Amino acid sequence: MAEITETMGNESSPSEENRNENSERSNFDNKTMRKSKPGLKRLALTLTVFFSFLLGLPWLLKSIEIYRSPLPFRDIDSLSNAIDSNPFLFPCKFHAVFVNFEHSTPIKQNAEQLGFLVSSHMLQLADGNSFCGTCESKYTVSVSLDSGNGCVEYEDADRGRAWRCGALSEFKFDETVKNDEVLDEYLESVVGRRGRVYTVVVVNAGEGYRVRAVVGKHRHAWIVGRFSEVDMLAEKVAEMFVKIFVGGAKEEGAMQGEFMPVGADGKIVLSFNLLNADPRDWIYDWDFKEVDEKVLSPTLEALGPIANISVESQVLYHTPKSSYSYWDVEVESHIFSTKDLPFFVNSNEWHLDTSIAAGGRSKILQFVVYIPSANECPLRLQLPNGEISMTNAFISPTWGGVVVLNPPNCLGNANSMHPLRRKVSPQELNQIFEVFMGQLRQLFGLKSTGFYKGASGSSILLASERGFTEWELDVLARQHACFNLRQCGTTLGSLSRLVQSLPRMIIKDEIGKQVSYKRCTVIGCLQSSILTRSNYPDIWRACAT
Amino acid sequence: MMNRKRDNFFSRFILTIITVITVSLSCSFVHFSHAASSDSSSVHTNNWAVLVCTSRFWFNYRHMANTLSLYRTVKRLGIPDERIILMLADDMACNARNKYPAQVFNNENHRLNLYGDNVEVDYRGYEVTVENFLRVLTGRHENAVPRSKRLLSDEGSHILLYMTGHGGDEFLKFQDADELQSHDLADAVKQMKEKRRFKELLIMVDTCQAATLFSQLHSPGVLAIGSSMKGENSYSHHLDSDVGVSVVDRFTFYTLAFFERLNMYDNASLSSLFSSYNPNLLLSTAYYRTDLYQQQMEKVPVTNFFGSVMETIHTGSAYRGVSGKDSNRAKFEVSSDQSYDRDAKSITTSSDPEKQVDHPGIKAVKSGTCPHADLWNMIVEKVQRIKDVDSIVNYGFVGLLTLVAVSTWHSS
């Protein structure tokens, strides 16, 4: 049986093979199967599909792209680096006039040597000066020598005839203030119309005159007196140029205008507040409109190129202060000291921030007149050296200032039953506003003492009825323009850094347009100011961000 | 055999393409690391406080009590309302379940009514959102937002940022609807630093796992303290059985206990505040990070952040000359003729050696690190300079379609 099966198996296997071959042959379908291995054609097809996918890749990526308006990052970075590393320096022109020097032989130098002497002294003095808004360090001083026999001039090529010969020949110099103002106006008519040049006129007077230096309200100053040494004279002139006209007559170590109190939108709101601490004792009111028209408007107009200033005023009641005072028998008044000043402003009860006109980004400066209550009257401020303050006022930088006004005769005033309604008298109001003007200048970084004490002697600074003299306005405009440019540079730089570090942030088109506009404005402004050497308010207006 | 060779060749070709692409991509990452400019030159001018309570609903009474207690402390020590941004859901005092209407307490002895007088809430109810919070911090508001809702700090401000609510690992929950993540907060602080909106910043967080919320900070000048570390909870202090809910959290309770001993004139230091937290009483570890803060904490008084600082300068003199007097000025009459000609010479535009506007070329890549970096950068520059990307994409699309058409026709 096994043999049969074996032979049957042997017989069946070839037949199975035959059957398999047949089935294979019959299963082979020419239409869908192939015998040969795939060759070049398939390779070409695969590669074509692959490359078509590669071609379509940008379309795919674009569909998932986040829209970022293209910002000029490299340009922004380079601009902000340039602004940071090179401090912006303004071109300043100086002119020194020496009158009546023929008679004294030591000063028989020629104009050119005098010019070099003055500018070398200026370079020495300006070594430490590197704050924002200084003048260029290559000082060019043009000199005019006016003696009885005619004028000699040494000047730069691009200036016209500077000094009118014999202009001061008939002027009588005496040391009164009125004479100062007259001379100031006269000098303004002589030298004032030539553009922005700072002038110092040195007059050699006869015997009996001591050296007296006065800085006028415009852009000139004069020194009158008897001079023996050329070097000292040149040093004094140089000091007037560098320390007063360029530096703004600030003392060493003072804050160099880091906090210009101007808001980001170029506006300041001055808020004047009259505070009645206890209206049960007395109620004060003031005639603000009048003093606003007479006193404030000229000042605000003068400050126009720097900031757009608006004024508000209000009267508040029930506003006690939050610091303490003690009764001093000697002075017969209640005393508060400078240590109490940080705690004087009682922010809980003084609702000073009720301005409706101030936008979100403008700066508000508060000026407060504080009228104490009857049990704290008169209230006086004692300085650390023991003296009583003449002004009874203080400021807080970037916040504003406070003046304490004591009602007259408050010691002798017996308790009156009715709250008296009174008005602040015009004289007191004028006094208060003189103090406010001093405080406003202090907030801008300028002193109001009326004189400047330098290494080579002191100079008298004339006060202007507009609150700021023209050379002070120049200093402020320079500082403000420089500060704004720096701000612009850092803002653009930080914006570009921030945007580059957030790669998936959407940047809309408006932002791109604004950035390129700002950048172009800044660059154009820098170029134009350097090329045209134009006046500072124009620069400031062009660069206002 | 030929086909296998072609397959091998093909696969190797694809591999080489992929490796080339990855190598050049990895070499093209160049980091511009600009150090943020340190402004240690600015003077401390004012203090601001941003107090945020991120919870609502009656059972989160204690969070609102926390925030109001800190508000009261900060006001008592001198920061005015105009410099406080208070964000509260403000639904406790007049809640129907409040047995003492219009009163909010933080202690079961009910000694102090926190809602009593002079509470000025800037963002209340549903305005307390993550978006508004980040807008407050970065200062980017719509034009119509009033000043009282803006953080108007400058580069001399010290800011106290206090947040309380329910939090977790690297997040803080805002009113059950939003989340503030730690990297969002870190980004906002970085933007604030870039825009010079603060000189120093103190962040206090009283939530569960509070320390994780400021773990991502990297801006200088920031000091942060949290009530608990990662994995720990922050607990409430006690339950007021009369009101029916817990009225204060432990961390805030001990903070207030520290401040109740102070008045405006004191100068207790920050380190004394931070060391007054006892982990056994808090039942968690109050963790603070000082690595971003340059000052020494023993020397910094707490009033630098919690109190009011006004730098004051005495006004030495008034400015006379502004009295508006219209006096008659005697003009000095000059006898000689006034007319003199001024030749207005045109100002020559001489080349100024101090032209500020040169653009120094910035070298982007330090060559030598990657072999293909220069080539890649050239390609990247060329691609970046292409202004009209759309047309190129369209051309590519058309090419793609034609290729697809060709290949389908070829294969059929």
Side-chain angles (χ1 to χ4, degrees), chain A residues 37-38 52 62 86 161 181 186 347 353 359 362 389 391 395-397 434 463 465 494, chain B residues 3 80 82 147 194 311-315 319-321 329 334 340 342 356 390 400:
Chain A
K37 282 237 174 99
S52 71
K62 188 163 196 326
N86 305 330
R161 203 163 45 122
E181 294 192 355
Y186 176 62
S347 315
D353 58 330
S362 41
S389 157
T391 52
I395 64 155
S396 177
E434 282 173 2
E465 61 274 0
S494 74
Chain B
N3 292 332
E82 62 195 11
R147 284 175 74 89
E194 287 276 351
E311 187 185 316
T312 50
I313 306 174
H314 170 246
T315 305
Y319 193 70
R320 307 245 147 66
R329 305 182 170 286
V334 182
Y340 36 78
R342 312 224 148 276
Q356 312 288 344
D390 282 329
L400 160 75

mmCIF file of all heavy atoms in Angstrom, chain A residues 37-38 52 62 86 161 181 186 347 353 359 362 389 391 395-397 434 463 465 494, chain B residues 3 80 82 147 194 311-315 319-321 329 334 340 342 356 390 400:
data_model
loop_
_atom_site.group_PDB
_atom_site.id
_atom_site.type_symbol
_atom_site.label_atom_id
_atom_site.label_comp_id
_atom_site.label_asym_id
_atom_site.label_seq_id
_atom_site.Cartn_x
_atom_site.Cartn_y
_atom_site.Cartn_z
ATOM 1 N N LYS A 37 11.867 43.147 -13.871
ATOM 2 C CA LYS A 37 11.953 44.040 -12.706
ATOM 3 C C LYS A 37 11.731 45.475 -13.172
ATOM 4 O O LYS A 37 12.009 45.808 -14.325
ATOM 5 C CB LYS A 37 13.363 43.912 -12.098
ATOM 6 C CG LYS A 37 13.534 42.672 -11.259
ATOM 7 C CD LYS A 37 13.956 43.048 -9.856
ATOM 8 C CE LYS A 37 13.995 41.833 -8.988
ATOM 9 N NZ LYS A 37 15.356 41.323 -8.845
ATOM 10 N N PRO A 38 11.266 46.314 -12.254
ATOM 11 C CA PRO A 38 11.050 47.708 -12.652
ATOM 12 C C PRO A 38 12.386 48.400 -12.955
ATOM 13 O O PRO A 38 13.382 48.188 -12.297
ATOM 14 C CB PRO A 38 10.409 48.358 -11.421
ATOM 15 C CG PRO A 38 10.641 47.421 -10.303
ATOM 16 C CD PRO A 38 10.823 46.042 -10.887
ATOM 17 N N SER A 52 8.132 67.117 -7.770
ATOM 18 C CA SER A 52 6.924 67.941 -7.761
ATOM 19 C C SER A 52 6.489 68.241 -6.332
ATOM 20 O O SER A 52 5.982 69.322 -6.028
ATOM 21 C CB SER A 52 5.805 67.245 -8.533
ATOM 22 O OG SER A 52 5.355 66.133 -7.782
ATOM 23 N N LYS A 62 3.799 78.288 2.841
ATOM 24 C CA LYS A 62 3.165 79.593 2.874
ATOM 25 C C LYS A 62 1.778 79.514 3.491
ATOM 26 O O LYS A 62 1.320 80.451 4.133
ATOM 27 C CB LYS A 62 3.053 80.147 1.454
ATOM 28 C CG LYS A 62 2.572 81.581 1.460
ATOM 29 C CD LYS A 62 2.853 82.233 0.145
ATOM 30 C CE LYS A 62 2.754 83.722 0.173
ATOM 31 N NZ LYS A 62 1.864 84.411 0.944
ATOM 32 N N ASN A 86 27.312 107.019 19.734
ATOM 33 C CA ASN A 86 27.748 108.401 19.486
ATOM 34 C C ASN A 86 26.750 109.354 20.110
ATOM 35 O O ASN A 86 25.645 109.467 19.634
ATOM 36 C CB ASN A 86 27.812 108.677 17.985
ATOM 37 C CG ASN A 86 28.682 107.694 17.278
ATOM 38 O OD1 ASN A 86 29.611 107.192 17.861
ATOM 39 N ND2 ASN A 86 28.356 107.409 16.044
ATOM 40 N N ARG A 161 29.873 139.889 8.871
ATOM 41 C CA ARG A 161 30.504 140.836 9.767
ATOM 42 C C ARG A 161 29.725 140.881 11.056
ATOM 43 O O ARG A 161 28.534 141.115 11.087
ATOM 44 C CB ARG A 161 30.511 142.214 9.123
ATOM 45 C CG ARG A 161 31.563 143.134 9.649
ATOM 46 C CD ARG A 161 31.733 144.253 8.679
ATOM 47 N NE ARG A 161 30.423 144.744 8.258
ATOM 48 C CZ ARG A 161 30.030 146.000 8.405
ATOM 49 N NH1 ARG A 161 30.850 146.863 8.928
ATOM 50 N NH2 ARG A 161 28.840 146.377 7.990
ATOM 51 N N GLU A 181 19.348 146.100 32.417
ATOM 52 C CA GLU A 181 18.290 145.731 31.465
ATOM 53 C C GLU A 181 18.398 146.568 30.201
ATOM 54 O O GLU A 181 18.186 146.083 29.087
ATOM 55 C CB GLU A 181 16.937 145.919 32.128
ATOM 56 C CG GLU A 181 16.739 144.938 33.274
ATOM 57 C CD GLU A 181 15.312 144.912 33.739
ATOM 58 O OE1 GLU A 181 14.518 145.722 33.236
ATOM 59 O OE2 GLU A 181 15.021 144.087 34.595
ATOM 60 N N TYR A 186 19.897 146.831 24.474
ATOM 61 C CA TYR A 186 20.698 147.474 23.441
ATOM 62 C C TYR A 186 21.608 146.455 22.759
ATOM 63 O O TYR A 186 21.736 146.432 21.538
ATOM 64 C CB TYR A 186 21.525 148.604 24.067
ATOM 65 C CG TYR A 186 22.442 149.247 23.089
ATOM 66 C CD1 TYR A 186 21.940 149.903 21.970
ATOM 67 C CD2 TYR A 186 23.816 149.174 23.251
ATOM 68 C CE1 TYR A 186 22.788 150.472 21.059
ATOM 69 C CE2 TYR A 186 24.662 149.744 22.339
ATOM 70 C CZ TYR A 186 24.141 150.400 21.238
ATOM 71 O OH TYR A 186 24.991 150.949 20.333
ATOM 72 N N SER A 347 -1.423 111.583 50.192
ATOM 73 C CA SER A 347 -2.063 111.156 48.957
ATOM 74 C C SER A 347 -3.441 110.575 49.169
ATOM 75 O O SER A 347 -4.222 110.482 48.239
ATOM 76 C CB SER A 347 -1.192 110.117 48.273
ATOM 77 O OG SER A 347 0.130 110.528 48.283
ATOM 78 N N ASP A 353 -5.415 114.063 41.308
ATOM 79 C CA ASP A 353 -5.310 113.481 39.976
ATOM 80 C C ASP A 353 -6.649 113.428 39.278
ATOM 81 O O ASP A 353 -7.038 112.415 38.736
ATOM 82 C CB ASP A 353 -4.737 112.067 40.083
ATOM 83 C CG ASP A 353 -5.622 111.209 40.976
ATOM 84 O OD1 ASP A 353 -6.261 111.763 41.889
ATOM 85 O OD2 ASP A 353 -5.676 110.002 40.757
ATOM 86 N N GLY A 359 -4.333 113.052 28.613
ATOM 87 C CA GLY A 359 -4.469 111.777 27.931
ATOM 88 C C GLY A 359 -3.667 110.715 28.631
ATOM 89 O O GLY A 359 -3.093 110.933 29.685
ATOM 90 N N SER A 362 0.360 111.654 28.690
ATOM 91 C CA SER A 362 1.002 112.940 28.983
ATOM 92 C C SER A 362 1.371 112.992 30.455
ATOM 93 O O SER A 362 0.926 112.191 31.261
ATOM 94 C CB SER A 362 0.090 114.098 28.604
ATOM 95 O OG SER A 362 -1.237 113.828 28.965
ATOM 96 N N SER A 389 13.092 128.683 55.917
ATOM 97 C CA SER A 389 13.090 128.864 54.475
ATOM 98 C C SER A 389 12.356 130.139 54.094
ATOM 99 O O SER A 389 11.321 130.478 54.651
ATOM 100 C CB SER A 389 12.401 127.661 53.833
ATOM 101 O OG SER A 389 11.915 127.990 52.580
ATOM 102 N N THR A 391 11.143 130.664 51.074
ATOM 103 C CA THR A 391 10.077 130.384 50.117
ATOM 104 C C THR A 391 8.999 129.482 50.694
ATOM 105 O O THR A 391 7.884 129.470 50.196
ATOM 106 C CB THR A 391 10.646 129.675 48.886
ATOM 107 O OG1 THR A 391 11.399 128.557 49.337
ATOM 108 C CG2 THR A 391 11.519 130.598 48.093
ATOM 109 N N ILE A 395 10.009 120.835 46.103
ATOM 110 C CA ILE A 395 9.527 120.096 44.934
ATOM 111 C C ILE A 395 9.841 118.620 45.120
ATOM 112 O O ILE A 395 10.673 118.243 45.938
ATOM 113 C CB ILE A 395 10.204 120.553 43.613
ATOM 114 C CG1 ILE A 395 11.693 120.266 43.647
ATOM 115 C CG2 ILE A 395 9.924 121.988 43.327
ATOM 116 C CD1 ILE A 395 12.264 120.126 42.266
ATOM 117 N N SER A 396 9.152 117.804 44.339
ATOM 118 C CA SER A 396 9.531 116.418 44.208
ATOM 119 C C SER A 396 9.737 116.178 42.720
ATOM 120 O O SER A 396 8.819 116.411 41.933
ATOM 121 C CB SER A 396 8.424 115.513 44.749
ATOM 122 O OG SER A 396 8.771 114.177 44.553
ATOM 123 N N PRO A 397 10.924 115.749 42.303
ATOM 124 C CA PRO A 397 11.200 115.667 40.870
ATOM 125 C C PRO A 397 10.210 114.765 40.161
ATOM 126 O O PRO A 397 9.838 113.716 40.664
ATOM 127 C CB PRO A 397 12.608 115.065 40.816
ATOM 128 C CG PRO A 397 13.193 115.312 42.130
ATOM 129 C CD PRO A 397 12.087 115.357 43.107
ATOM 130 N N GLU A 434 5.658 133.551 41.725
ATOM 131 C CA GLU A 434 7.105 133.622 41.547
ATOM 132 C C GLU A 434 7.756 132.355 42.071
ATOM 133 O O GLU A 434 8.694 131.812 41.468
ATOM 134 C CB GLU A 434 7.659 134.844 42.285
ATOM 135 C CG GLU A 434 7.438 136.126 41.529
ATOM 136 C CD GLU A 434 7.834 137.328 42.340
ATOM 137 O OE1 GLU A 434 8.314 137.159 43.478
ATOM 138 O OE2 GLU A 434 7.654 138.445 41.820
ATOM 139 N N ALA A 463 16.928 137.849 34.952
ATOM 140 C CA ALA A 463 15.696 137.061 34.893
ATOM 141 C C ALA A 463 14.813 137.577 33.784
ATOM 142 O O ALA A 463 14.704 138.770 33.574
ATOM 143 C CB ALA A 463 14.969 137.143 36.234
ATOM 144 N N GLU A 465 11.068 137.954 31.873
ATOM 145 C CA GLU A 465 9.663 137.988 32.276
ATOM 146 C C GLU A 465 8.875 136.849 31.649
ATOM 147 O O GLU A 465 7.708 136.676 31.952
ATOM 148 C CB GLU A 465 9.013 139.324 31.919
ATOM 149 C CG GLU A 465 9.006 139.631 30.459
ATOM 150 C CD GLU A 465 10.293 140.302 30.042
ATOM 151 O OE1 GLU A 465 11.145 140.506 30.910
ATOM 152 O OE2 GLU A 465 10.443 140.609 28.869
ATOM 153 N N SER A 494 14.880 97.977 21.104
ATOM 154 C CA SER A 494 14.271 96.939 21.930
ATOM 155 C C SER A 494 13.114 96.289 21.194
ATOM 156 O O SER A 494 12.863 95.091 21.353
ATOM 157 C CB SER A 494 13.802 97.523 23.255
ATOM 158 O OG SER A 494 12.654 98.280 23.074
ATOM 159 N N ASN B 3 18.620 46.752 -11.026
ATOM 160 C CA ASN B 3 17.574 47.458 -10.286
ATOM 161 C C ASN B 3 17.951 47.634 -8.824
ATOM 162 O O ASN B 3 17.698 48.664 -8.213
ATOM 163 C CB ASN B 3 16.255 46.686 -10.367
ATOM 164 C CG ASN B 3 15.719 46.712 -11.773
ATOM 165 O OD1 ASN B 3 15.991 47.642 -12.510
ATOM 166 N ND2 ASN B 3 14.990 45.699 -12.139
ATOM 167 N N PRO B 80 -0.468 106.242 47.105
ATOM 168 C CA PRO B 80 -1.809 106.788 46.863
ATOM 169 C C PRO B 80 -2.592 105.942 45.882
ATOM 170 O O PRO B 80 -2.029 105.144 45.135
ATOM 171 C CB PRO B 80 -1.514 108.162 46.276
ATOM 172 C CG PRO B 80 -0.220 107.987 45.597
ATOM 173 C CD PRO B 80 0.562 106.987 46.393
ATOM 174 N N GLU B 82 -3.830 106.735 43.165
ATOM 175 C CA GLU B 82 -3.505 106.937 41.759
ATOM 176 C C GLU B 82 -2.330 106.078 41.331
ATOM 177 O O GLU B 82 -2.064 105.930 40.151
ATOM 178 C CB GLU B 82 -3.178 108.407 41.513
ATOM 179 C CG GLU B 82 -1.981 108.891 42.280
ATOM 180 C CD GLU B 82 -1.887 110.396 42.309
ATOM 181 O OE1 GLU B 82 -2.842 111.057 41.910
ATOM 182 O OE2 GLU B 82 -0.835 110.897 42.728
ATOM 183 N N ARG B 147 -6.754 107.045 32.581
ATOM 184 C CA ARG B 147 -5.467 107.001 33.256
ATOM 185 C C ARG B 147 -5.509 106.156 34.511
ATOM 186 O O ARG B 147 -4.520 105.556 34.893
ATOM 187 C CB ARG B 147 -5.046 108.420 33.651
ATOM 188 C CG ARG B 147 -4.546 109.247 32.529
ATOM 189 C CD ARG B 147 -4.278 110.633 33.008
ATOM 190 N NE ARG B 147 -3.072 110.706 33.807
ATOM 191 C CZ ARG B 147 -1.879 110.925 33.313
ATOM 192 N NH1 ARG B 147 -1.728 111.080 32.027
ATOM 193 N NH2 ARG B 147 -0.833 110.994 34.101
ATOM 194 N N GLU B 194 12.372 96.034 28.860
ATOM 195 C CA GLU B 194 12.845 96.653 27.629
ATOM 196 C C GLU B 194 12.307 98.062 27.484
ATOM 197 O O GLU B 194 12.981 98.962 27.014
ATOM 198 C CB GLU B 194 12.399 95.827 26.418
ATOM 199 C CG GLU B 194 13.121 94.539 26.239
ATOM 200 C CD GLU B 194 14.425 94.704 25.499
ATOM 201 O OE1 GLU B 194 14.674 95.799 24.988
ATOM 202 O OE2 GLU B 194 15.189 93.751 25.436
ATOM 203 N N GLU B 311 11.043 111.791 46.690
ATOM 204 C CA GLU B 311 12.294 112.512 46.860
ATOM 205 C C GLU B 311 11.985 113.985 46.792
ATOM 206 O O GLU B 311 11.313 114.440 45.864
ATOM 207 C CB GLU B 311 13.233 112.138 45.738
ATOM 208 C CG GLU B 311 14.601 112.729 45.946
ATOM 209 C CD GLU B 311 15.481 112.443 44.769
ATOM 210 O OE1 GLU B 311 15.447 111.298 44.310
ATOM 211 O OE2 GLU B 311 16.164 113.359 44.319
ATOM 212 N N THR B 312 12.418 114.697 47.773
ATOM 213 C CA THR B 312 12.036 116.110 47.823
ATOM 214 C C THR B 312 13.282 116.978 47.846
ATOM 215 O O THR B 312 14.308 116.614 48.395
ATOM 216 C CB THR B 312 11.214 116.418 49.083
ATOM 217 O OG1 THR B 312 11.920 115.901 50.202
ATOM 218 C CG2 THR B 312 9.858 115.768 49.026
ATOM 219 N N ILE B 313 13.158 118.133 47.228
ATOM 220 C CA ILE B 313 14.242 119.108 47.211
ATOM 221 C C ILE B 313 13.647 120.447 47.592
ATOM 222 O O ILE B 313 12.604 120.845 47.066
ATOM 223 C CB ILE B 313 14.854 119.217 45.798
ATOM 224 C CG1 ILE B 313 15.263 117.842 45.304
ATOM 225 C CG2 ILE B 313 16.047 120.140 45.806
ATOM 226 C CD1 ILE B 313 15.739 117.856 43.882
ATOM 227 N N HIS B 314 14.335 121.120 48.468
ATOM 228 C CA HIS B 314 13.825 122.419 48.889
ATOM 229 C C HIS B 314 13.991 123.424 47.760
ATOM 230 O O HIS B 314 15.002 123.435 47.053
ATOM 231 C CB HIS B 314 14.599 122.863 50.136
ATOM 232 C CG HIS B 314 14.332 124.268 50.524
ATOM 233 N ND1 HIS B 314 15.290 125.250 50.480
ATOM 234 C CD2 HIS B 314 13.200 124.880 50.930
ATOM 235 C CE1 HIS B 314 14.772 126.400 50.868
ATOM 236 N NE2 HIS B 314 13.515 126.197 51.155
ATOM 237 N N THR B 315 12.996 124.277 47.595
ATOM 238 C CA THR B 315 13.092 125.327 46.575
ATOM 239 C C THR B 315 13.795 126.513 47.183
ATOM 240 O O THR B 315 13.267 127.180 48.061
ATOM 241 C CB THR B 315 11.686 125.746 46.122
ATOM 242 O OG1 THR B 315 11.002 124.588 45.685
ATOM 243 C CG2 THR B 315 11.764 126.734 44.985
ATOM 244 N N TYR B 319 11.562 132.990 41.425
ATOM 245 C CA TYR B 319 12.072 133.569 40.196
ATOM 246 C C TYR B 319 11.398 134.904 39.999
ATOM 247 O O TYR B 319 10.244 134.981 39.597
ATOM 248 C CB TYR B 319 11.775 132.618 39.041
ATOM 249 C CG TYR B 319 12.524 132.959 37.781
ATOM 250 C CD1 TYR B 319 13.896 132.772 37.703
ATOM 251 C CD2 TYR B 319 11.865 133.442 36.684
ATOM 252 C CE1 TYR B 319 14.576 133.077 36.560
ATOM 253 C CE2 TYR B 319 12.543 133.752 35.527
ATOM 254 C CZ TYR B 319 13.906 133.559 35.470
ATOM 255 O OH TYR B 319 14.581 133.845 34.316
ATOM 256 N N ARG B 320 12.111 135.953 40.297
ATOM 257 C CA ARG B 320 11.527 137.283 40.141
ATOM 258 C C ARG B 320 11.798 137.757 38.745
ATOM 259 O O ARG B 320 12.866 137.597 38.212
ATOM 260 C CB ARG B 320 12.169 138.266 41.122
ATOM 261 C CG ARG B 320 12.121 137.776 42.519
ATOM 262 C CD ARG B 320 11.255 138.634 43.414
ATOM 263 N NE ARG B 320 10.610 137.831 44.415
ATOM 264 C CZ ARG B 320 11.256 137.185 45.388
ATOM 265 N NH1 ARG B 320 12.560 137.285 45.469
ATOM 266 N NH2 ARG B 320 10.600 136.440 46.246
ATOM 267 N N GLY B 321 10.860 138.423 38.190
ATOM 268 C CA GLY B 321 11.021 138.848 36.800
ATOM 269 C C GLY B 321 9.803 138.432 36.043
ATOM 270 O O GLY B 321 9.595 138.730 34.889
ATOM 271 N N ARG B 329 10.515 150.729 29.505
ATOM 272 C CA ARG B 329 11.941 150.486 29.394
ATOM 273 C C ARG B 329 12.553 151.641 28.625
ATOM 274 O O ARG B 329 12.104 151.970 27.548
ATOM 275 C CB ARG B 329 12.199 149.194 28.619
ATOM 276 C CG ARG B 329 11.486 148.048 29.229
ATOM 277 C CD ARG B 329 11.801 146.780 28.472
ATOM 278 N NE ARG B 329 11.298 145.679 29.232
ATOM 279 C CZ ARG B 329 11.860 145.239 30.338
ATOM 280 N NH1 ARG B 329 12.959 145.795 30.766
ATOM 281 N NH2 ARG B 329 11.340 144.259 31.012
ATOM 282 N N VAL B 334 20.371 155.081 19.723
ATOM 283 C CA VAL B 334 21.669 155.156 19.058
ATOM 284 C C VAL B 334 21.608 156.251 18.028
ATOM 285 O O VAL B 334 20.683 156.299 17.211
ATOM 286 C CB VAL B 334 21.997 153.809 18.403
ATOM 287 C CG1 VAL B 334 23.344 153.853 17.753
ATOM 288 C CG2 VAL B 334 21.926 152.717 19.440
ATOM 289 N N TYR B 340 22.559 148.506 8.957
ATOM 290 C CA TYR B 340 23.842 147.929 8.559
ATOM 291 C C TYR B 340 23.515 146.642 7.854
ATOM 292 O O TYR B 340 22.594 145.921 8.199
ATOM 293 C CB TYR B 340 24.750 147.696 9.754
ATOM 294 C CG TYR B 340 24.034 147.270 11.000
ATOM 295 C CD1 TYR B 340 23.592 145.969 11.161
ATOM 296 C CD2 TYR B 340 23.775 148.187 12.022
ATOM 297 C CE1 TYR B 340 22.916 145.580 12.295
ATOM 298 C CE2 TYR B 340 23.114 147.794 13.160
ATOM 299 C CZ TYR B 340 22.690 146.502 13.284
ATOM 300 O OH TYR B 340 22.022 146.137 14.402
ATOM 301 N N ARG B 342 23.808 142.986 6.720
ATOM 302 C CA ARG B 342 24.388 141.715 7.137
ATOM 303 C C ARG B 342 24.418 140.850 5.914
ATOM 304 O O ARG B 342 23.382 140.580 5.322
ATOM 305 C CB ARG B 342 23.502 141.034 8.189
ATOM 306 C CG ARG B 342 23.087 141.950 9.307
ATOM 307 C CD ARG B 342 23.232 141.244 10.627
ATOM 308 N NE ARG B 342 23.580 142.204 11.641
ATOM 309 C CZ ARG B 342 24.822 142.606 11.856
ATOM 310 N NH1 ARG B 342 25.809 142.117 11.169
ATOM 311 N NH2 ARG B 342 25.082 143.491 12.782
ATOM 312 N N GLN B 356 26.476 111.044 11.905
ATOM 313 C CA GLN B 356 26.060 109.987 12.808
ATOM 314 C C GLN B 356 25.434 108.817 12.093
ATOM 315 O O GLN B 356 25.048 107.856 12.699
ATOM 316 C CB GLN B 356 25.028 110.532 13.790
ATOM 317 C CG GLN B 356 25.441 111.836 14.421
ATOM 318 C CD GLN B 356 26.544 111.636 15.406
ATOM 319 O OE1 GLN B 356 26.798 110.528 15.822
ATOM 320 N NE2 GLN B 356 27.216 112.704 15.763
ATOM 321 N N ASP B 390 4.997 86.074 -3.391
ATOM 322 C CA ASP B 390 3.762 85.476 -3.898
ATOM 323 C C ASP B 390 3.925 84.962 -5.314
ATOM 324 O O ASP B 390 3.489 83.851 -5.644
ATOM 325 C CB ASP B 390 2.637 86.520 -3.876
ATOM 326 C CG ASP B 390 2.106 86.694 -2.463
ATOM 327 O OD1 ASP B 390 2.148 85.692 -1.716
ATOM 328 O OD2 ASP B 390 1.681 87.801 -2.128
ATOM 329 N N LEU B 400 4.398 72.756 -10.331
ATOM 330 C CA LEU B 400 3.969 71.525 -9.680
ATOM 331 C C LEU B 400 2.851 70.854 -10.466
ATOM 332 O O LEU B 400 2.872 69.641 -10.717
ATOM 333 C CB LEU B 400 3.498 71.866 -8.255
ATOM 334 C CG LEU B 400 2.583 70.866 -7.550
ATOM 335 C CD1 LEU B 400 3.368 69.680 -7.105
ATOM 336 C CD2 LEU B 400 1.931 71.520 -6.355
#
